[in-house]
Amino acid sequence: MAVSLAFAGVLELLALALVRLTRRNEVFERRWQEQFGVSPEVCTRLWDLCDPYNTMPNAVKPVYLLWALAFLRQYNTESNSSSAVGGPDEKRYR
């Protein structure tokens, strides 16, 4: 009987952890959508469609795609936009 109670306790802890993880993922997805205007899956698909490693310079990074999406979402001045994505200088953000 003690073993089954301990097992039930473990299952309950796992269920609570799963609920917390699901809520955390939902919050992440909602915040991502608010920031970039599309889901993470759409960003991944867009990155793959661009085929950056074969069609763009070597220094291209996924963060540049995110900057472009954030810019399109907000369409702000360069100084405001660059500070909103983590503070690269305006020339680099451009």
Side-chain angles (χ1 to χ4, degrees):
M1 186 76 160
V3 173
S4 62
L5 287 177
F7 184 69
V10 169
L11 285 178
E12 185 178 346
L13 288 175
L14 288 173
L16 288 173
L18 183 60
V19 167
R20 284 190 205 121
L21 183 61
T22 302
R23 285 185 191 147
R24 208 173 310 150
N25 285 342
E26 289 170 359
V27 170
F28 171 80
E29 295 256 347
R30 187 187 68 225
R31 289 181 180 165
W32 183 283
Q33 184 94 20
E34 289 171 356
Q35 179 68 31
F36 302 111
V38 293
S39 69
E41 291 80 18
V42 170
C43 287
T44 302
R45 182 73 176 131
L46 181 58
W47 182 255
D48 291 340
L49 286 173
C50 290
D51 194 18
Y53 300 111
N54 293 324
T55 60
M56 296 181 189
N58 291 338
V60 69
K61 298 177 185 171
V63 71
Y64 299 148
L65 173 63
L66 297 178
W67 288 352
L69 290 172
F71 176 75
L72 290 172
R73 175 96 170 131
Q74 297 173 2
Y75 196 70
N76 218 337
T77 64
E78 282 182 355
S79 61
N80 289 340
S81 294
S82 65
S83 63
V85 296
D89 61 14
E90 295 164 18
K91 183 178 179 183
R92 182 179 184 112
Y93 183 76
R94 190 177 315 137

